[in-house]
Amino acid sequence: MNPLIGREHVLSVVDSRMEALSRGSGGCLLFEGPFGTGKTRLLRAVTSGAAERGFTVVAGQAGGADQPAPLRLLIGGLRHLMPEAADFDALARPDGNPFRLTDRVGELAESAARGRPLVIALDEVQRIDDAGALALRGLVQTLTSSPVLWLLARRPTPARSLAQHALGSLTDHTALRLALGALDGDASAALCTEVLGAEPDTSVLRWAHRCGGNPWLLENLLDAFREEGQVVVVDGTASVVSERLPEGVLGAVGRLLDGMTPALRRLLVSGSRSGRVFTAEEVAAELGLPVAELSASVEEAVYAGLLRGDGTGLAFEHEVIEEALRLLPSPREPEPAGARPSAAVAFGAWPTGEPEPVTPPWPVTGDHRLPAGEADALVPPPAFGATAPARSPAVPAPRSPECDCEDLAARVMASLGDVFDEVPRTLAAPLRLLAGAGRCTEAARLARVALRPGVEAAAETRLVLGLSRGLRDAGHPGPASDLLRRTLTRQDIGEAERAALNEAHADVSRRSAGTPDTVAEARGSRPAGRTPSPVRRGAETGHGPRTAPVGLRASAPRQAPAPAHCDACERPLWTWLVRALAAADLFDEATAVCEAVRREAERHGAAWPETLWHGHHAELLTAAGRLDEARGEAETALRLADRSAPEDSVPARLVLARLSLHRGDLATAGDQLRLAERLPVPYGGADRARLDWALAQFHAASGRPAAMVRTLIDAEGGVEPDLLLFSEVPTAAAALVRVAGQAGLGAEAERAAAFARHIADRNPTVRSLVGGAEHAEGVLRNDMVALHRAVELHRNAARPLAAGSALEDAALVEQSMGDRTRTVRLLESAADLYLHCGAQRDTARAQKKLLRLGVHHERGQGAERPKTGWESLTSAELRVVRAIVDGMTNREAASSLFLSPHTVDSHLRRVFSKLDINSRVELTKRFLTHEAVPSGAAACGRPGSAG
């Protein structure tokens, strides 16, 4: 490994000190950093450079001998440099006066430096004893005015001893401290390139990120991947084709563990298996030890860079080390009393392949060798106690012996620290939404997993408040009350949080008379008299008066589904976590959960439903408007269908059906729906609502608006909208209102809009659901203000297809009001969104509407489009240009074009670049010159014209 990668700031200081040394000025530099940051290798590189400059280099390491380290080092070096100057055997006797010895060695070093500048490198200074630290401080201060440069390297250590206080005094008054921290992203990528001999792709960089910028860890990881054949290099780009930690890293971390005392080993191993954040109190309770006995180990681990404080708990600094410790067997037996492991093992030696020296090296002029045993690891603190068994994850017991859903969900949540600032805070809105949509059991189980010991009081309060409201709204005040009372027993709840919890508990108590006390296992049960009062279709009601497409069964008998995963769960718990996060517009978090699920499943080597995983990932991509990627994921799911239960393919088939509808391919959509109907999809189950929605969309695309509406809502037949569907699909209500209006079903349209508003009121922080309510009401009442709010809410929720739909509906209202210009702008914006998502049928529909208005909308920038000049501008950029030429500011243009100001600014920068201009004045001149054509021609044929 190149020890200079990412250390440019340190090297610039070293170079200046070397230049000063050549002019006769000495000093002291202290390289300080956590384990694995390359202090030893940097020291080796710097001393090598000093030797090449012609300086005398004396190098060694602290610890391992009776004589103080700096004195032993200098005596060994001076013996070779000036053998006739003194009786070195007498100086080396351990019974001499240390202060007189320090003065004599200082005199000899000063004399040696007169002939040639002297560089003294001392590694592992954190291991120095009291006498050595005092001697070092005295020598550095004595030789300050001589051409002697001291290079010291150490890992931060608590200042509990005289030695550390002496080193602290030296750093404060004489030495210049150079901190070696984690490598940044660019430096990590450069290290990957050097180790692999090729540019890293995203798969490599993801692993690098999990190493936390620690060069020792990253080099060991990449070497292990390469040795196991998991690195593939194609066209100069390296990829890692595994999501599982290689055995080589487990071995490296195991050797690191060997160099620790039993107390520290047990602290780290126990902490790695208790979740992302843990406390010393939890570990002490698990190991049966007083907390005070762990305090020294905790402090040592933090100073070493293995752990960090995280709120009121502790967390691992490097995800890879945490994962490796979790996979390693139980802690190894402690070494016998009095035994001390060798430096190369005890301190996490870099795998250099060099033999371990029996004694510290004796560098002479030009010799810059350092010990093979690298010091960038962990110094063992005092040991205590005996080895205890490794603890299990601190999560509730699963619901059945066969079910590991909660265990997997706990491991997934524990791995999401880089994505979630605080998991309970992040889950508050999603779990409230999930409970309010009728999935109370799943929401409660996820909350139980998230509220593990050590959760911050404020974070627990936020989650409990959200979930209790969801349970209350779903008609289950009993469990809501229990949840609130449990949190109120915490002694560390703040006054504001306690007041909010008491208020919520009082509200739940007022509603508890005559309502169920337990979370209903039957999905969708509701108390009577609620407004609105959705009634879920059950097996006794069938599908209602649904008319099926030709060849597609509407009410075929279904067999009872075989348990796909365990006796307790219809679907794995992680699927509900993904769905809840996505429904709450937390797409990044939902994607992180998907990745964590796959990583955890592969790491533990257990069978897992890959088809179901790819299907849910495809649903997530579809909601985010990434249709091409979603199609690829769904097709992958079907290719793996033989590895999973048959019903696991339903999500992927429904995604393919919906994507085919977006592309105008009704035949493929029908085929996929037909296949999905034949699989065991229970009424009220996880996939029932989504299947009904896909069937309804198929009816609408096939020209059967009444059938589409009555598939989901029927005022006369008693079919009410589905809570789960309308919570997960924010555009469903607007689509129903629109199609119901076409079919003359006014009661159903009113009902759908009211239902959307009801869900939005339950989830006021979820933008897409509020946008869905505004959208439905805007369509129902031709309300432009509501539709504009819906567009912005859907944009902010990162749902481009939903925003495009609202834009289309807004254009229809503008057209009915006779405003052609605004109608065109709205349709062009909708077409651009559809085009970007790859929704071909939707794009064609919007473009057809534009053609009726005399406007030709381009299909995006093709290969034939010039790179510069006026003809290189896209239709979206031309619309921005016209708004700016009309005298609008960026914000006014954004409002007029239904874009964000940031998007307008981006378009404008690209326009300036393409036209090679840098001002609005020049833009206006170019526009007027280019547009100097008859107005009729401008209105009738110009690409992207706004009319």
Side-chain angles (χ1 to χ4, degrees):
M1 183 196 78
N2 185 347
L4 310 184
I5 291 177
R7 306 305 183 196
E8 291 78 9
H9 69 293
V10 173
L11 293 175
S12 63
V13 175
V14 171
D15 285 343
S16 65
R17 286 302 179 96
M18 291 293 181
E19 289 296 328
L21 181 63
S22 65
R23 296 191 297 270
S25 177
C28 181
L29 298 178
L30 173 64
F31 303 129
E32 186 176 69
F35 90 101
T37 48
K39 299 180 295 296
T40 296
R41 290 197 169 183
L42 182 62
L43 201 63
R44 179 179 296 170
V46 170
T47 53
S48 175
E52 291 175 359
R53 288 173 177 257
F55 300 153
T56 299
V57 176
V58 178
Q61 62 182 8
D66 295 330
Q67 197 173 49
L71 297 177
R72 183 187 71 250
L73 175 65
L74 276 175
I75 290 171
L78 293 172
R79 187 194 298 271
H80 291 272
L81 289 173
M82 39 195 316
E84 305 299 330
D87 182 1
F88 289 101
D89 291 334
L91 289 175
R93 282 200 301 270
D95 56 351
N97 185 311
F99 299 103
R100 189 173 302 165
L101 178 62
T102 299
D103 292 340
R104 178 58 179 150
V105 170
E107 293 172 1
L108 291 172
E110 184 177 15
S111 176
R114 293 195 190 102
R116 181 181 297 180
L118 178 62
V119 175
I120 307 170
L122 185 61
D123 200 5
E124 298 186 12
V125 177
Q126 75 276 357
R127 296 177 57 191
I128 202 167
D129 57 15
D130 293 347
L134 294 173
L136 176 63
R137 184 177 64 179
L139 286 169
V140 171
Q141 293 172 345
T142 298
L143 298 173
T144 299
S145 58
S146 301
V148 177
L149 178 62
W150 292 83
L151 301 175
L152 312 177
R154 75 162 181 172
R155 177 182 51 77
T157 303
R160 290 195 294 261
S161 65
L162 174 61
Q164 300 307 320
H165 281 294
L167 290 177
S169 173
L170 180 63
T171 304
D172 292 340
H173 299 96
T174 307
L176 175 62
R177 177 178 172 273
L178 299 175
L180 301 182
L183 300 180
D184 61 21
D186 290 341
S188 293
L191 180 55
C192 292
T193 300
E194 178 173 288
V195 174
L196 299 178
E199 292 292 325
D201 72 350
T202 54
S203 67
V204 178
L205 295 179
R206 280 197 299 269
W207 278 108
H209 176 72
R210 292 166 65 185
C211 290
N214 187 287
W216 173 82
L217 194 57
L218 179 54
E219 185 183 18
N220 273 277
L221 176 72
L222 296 179
D223 282 340
F225 273 133
R226 190 168 50 187
E227 289 172 6
E228 294 183 11
Q230 300 293 340
V231 176
V232 176
V233 178
V234 178
D235 295 331
T237 300
S239 303
V240 172
V241 295
S242 174
E243 290 294 327
R244 184 179 304 173
L245 277 181
E247 290 296 324
V249 166
L250 300 185
V253 175
R255 290 190 294 274
L256 182 65
L257 209 63
D258 284 341
M260 306 174 191
T261 60
L264 193 50
R265 289 203 301 269
R266 293 199 303 274
L267 167 69
L268 295 173
V269 173
S270 180
S272 72
R273 297 174 180 175
S274 63
R276 177 181 174 268
V277 179
F278 63 96
T279 65
E281 289 79 4
E282 292 173 18
V283 175
E286 182 69 23
L287 299 178
L289 296 170
V291 176
E293 291 192 33
L294 275 182
S295 60
S297 296
V298 169
E299 187 177 23
E300 194 71 30
V302 170
Y303 271 94
L306 288 164
L307 298 178
R308 69 174 186 275
D310 192 325
T312 59
L314 298 166
F316 279 85
E317 194 71 56
H318 313 93
E319 181 182 347
V320 166
I321 285 186
E322 180 182 9
E323 293 177 8
L325 289 174
R326 202 157 50 229
L327 294 173
L328 285 171
S330 58
R332 311 176 188 203
E333 291 300 320
E335 64 272 11
R340 185 179 182 87
S342 65
V345 175
F347 303 104
W350 295 76
T352 59
E354 301 174 32
E356 181 184 352
V358 178
T359 58
W362 51 90
V364 295
T365 304
D367 189 341
H368 49 82
R369 291 175 293 158
L370 285 179
E374 300 284 351
D376 289 355
L378 186 68
V379 176
F384 69 87
T387 302
R391 67 178 293 185
S392 301
V395 297
R399 293 184 58 187
S400 76
E402 296 84 6
C403 175
D404 65 349
C405 288
E406 291 188 5
D407 180 52
L408 176 58
R411 295 200 305 270
V412 168
M413 288 184 189
S415 69
L416 294 175
D418 292 338
V419 181
F420 298 173
D421 291 335
E422 177 57 58
V423 172
R425 291 180 188 273
T426 304
L427 292 182
L431 294 193
R432 176 181 180 178
L433 186 155
L434 190 60
R439 305 308 300 224
C440 300
T441 300
E442 289 79 4
R445 291 179 67 197
L446 285 169
R448 188 164 64 245
V449 172
L451 295 178
R452 61 192 183 278
V455 171
E456 181 186 10
E460 177 174 340
T461 299
R462 184 170 177 176
L463 186 149
V464 167
L465 285 172
L467 180 54
S468 65
R469 290 178 187 128
L471 292 168
R472 178 203 67 190
D473 293 342
H476 301 291
S481 178
D482 293 343
L483 195 64
L484 290 163
R485 284 199 302 268
R486 173 190 168 219
T487 303
L488 279 167
T489 61
R490 289 189 60 153
Q491 300 300 313
D492 55 346
I493 296 290
E495 291 302 319
E497 288 87 357
R498 190 172 297 279
L501 290 165
N502 281 320
E503 182 180 354
H505 188 264
D507 180 62
V508 167
S509 298
R510 286 193 296 269
R511 297 169 182 250
S512 58
T515 55
D517 284 339
T518 58
V519 176
E521 293 295 335
R523 311 293 191 244
S525 59
R526 297 287 181 274
R530 297 286 296 276
T531 304
S533 175
V535 179
R536 185 76 56 89
R537 291 187 303 282
E540 69 282 2
T541 62
H543 287 269
R546 181 172 72 193
T547 302
V550 176
L552 204 63
R553 296 180 297 144
S555 56
R558 300 178 186 276
Q559 60 181 343
H565 310 287
C566 70
D567 293 338
C569 307
E570 173 195 346
R571 281 282 187 259
L573 193 57
W574 63 262
T575 64
W576 292 106
L577 179 57
V578 172
R579 291 174 69 164
L581 290 166
D585 304 328
L586 300 174
F587 293 117
D588 289 344
E589 290 82 350
T591 300
V593 168
C594 282
E595 292 303 314
V597 166
R598 178 164 64 177
R599 188 169 61 244
E600 287 292 320
E602 291 179 350
R603 178 185 303 135
H604 289 271
W608 65 294
E610 293 179 83
T611 295
L612 189 63
W613 186 92
H614 286 285
H616 278 286
H617 197 207
E619 288 174 339
L620 189 57
L621 293 167
T622 302
R626 297 159 63 181
L627 302 191
D628 289 337
E629 297 171 71
R631 176 173 290 275
E633 282 291 271
E635 290 172 349
T636 298
L638 297 187
R639 285 196 298 270
L640 300 172
D642 59 342
R643 303 184 186 180
S644 301
E647 59 268 32
D648 284 357
S649 67
V650 171
R653 294 193 186 282
L654 297 182
V655 168
L656 284 175
R658 290 167 56 194
L659 295 178
S660 297
L661 291 176
H662 280 299
R663 292 172 178 264
D665 184 358
L666 298 186
T668 300
D671 289 342
Q672 293 298 332
L673 289 173
R674 189 177 302 108
L675 290 168
E677 282 268 294
R678 292 173 180 170
L679 294 171
V681 183
Y683 285 90
D687 299 321
R688 182 69 253 173
R690 289 178 167 182
L691 176 56
D692 287 341
W693 173 239
L695 289 168
Q697 289 180 301
F698 187 93
H699 286 308
S702 303
R704 292 184 291 272
M708 183 268 191
V709 175
R710 288 186 171 130
T711 297
L712 301 174
I713 183 170
D714 186 350
E716 293 181 1
V719 178
E720 290 288 348
D722 187 280
L723 279 166
L724 183 60
L725 167 64
F726 279 67
S727 298
E728 290 189 304
V729 184
T731 57
L736 274 175
V737 171
R738 186 188 311 112
V739 178
Q742 297 169 4
L745 302 173
E748 283 78 4
E750 290 278 357
R751 188 67 176 153
F755 196 81
R757 175 54 61 189
H758 174 70
I759 292 177
D761 290 343
R762 284 184 172 185
N763 302 280
T765 63
V766 182
R767 291 171 176 171
S768 65
L769 295 181
V770 179
E774 296 284 349
H775 191 177
E777 292 168 357
V779 173
L780 181 68
R781 312 190 201 297
N782 287 337
D783 185 344
M784 275 301 303
V785 175
L787 289 170
H788 285 171
R789 284 199 296 265
V791 171
E792 289 307 309
L793 285 164
H794 286 318
R795 283 187 187 277
N796 291 335
R799 293 182 182 265
L801 291 174
S805 176
L807 284 165
E808 268 197 275
D809 288 324
L812 185 63
V813 175
E814 291 286 9
Q815 189 174 13
S816 69
M817 298 170 62
D819 193 330
R820 179 179 179 277
T821 299
R822 291 180 65 82
T823 300
V824 169
R825 286 177 176 172
L826 287 165
L827 286 173
E828 286 179 326
S829 294
D832 285 342
L833 285 175
Y834 294 146
L835 186 64
H836 179 73
C837 293
Q840 298 171 358
R841 181 171 177 267
D842 305 283
T843 303
R845 183 181 63 246
Q847 290 176 335
K848 187 176 181 180
K849 292 177 180 178
L850 285 167
L851 282 174
R852 291 173 185 160
L853 296 170
V855 177
H856 174 71
H857 181 268
E858 293 181 350
R859 286 184 171 272
Q861 181 170 332
E864 72 281 359
R865 184 186 297 278
K867 300 297 183 183
T868 60
W870 199 265
E871 298 304 324
S872 69
L873 302 185
T874 65
S875 57
E877 291 165 351
L878 284 169
R879 288 196 297 277
V880 171
V881 168
R882 290 189 178 91
I884 298 302
V885 170
D886 286 343
M888 297 183 186
T889 64
N890 284 15
R891 187 168 295 279
E892 291 169 341
S895 177
S896 172
L897 298 174
F898 310 100
L899 301 171
S900 70
H902 175 75
T903 301
V904 170
D905 183 62
S906 298
H907 282 318
L908 203 54
R909 286 201 302 271
R910 285 196 294 269
V911 168
F912 281 9
S913 176
K914 290 178 179 180
L915 299 183
D916 193 23
I917 59 177
N918 54 25
S919 74
R920 291 170 179 249
V921 174
E922 291 179 273
L923 177 61
T924 302
K925 291 178 182 178
R926 294 288 291 273
F927 177 83
L928 294 176
T929 301
H930 187 78
E931 296 287 307
V933 294
S935 58
C940 293
R942 190 166 305 283
S945 172

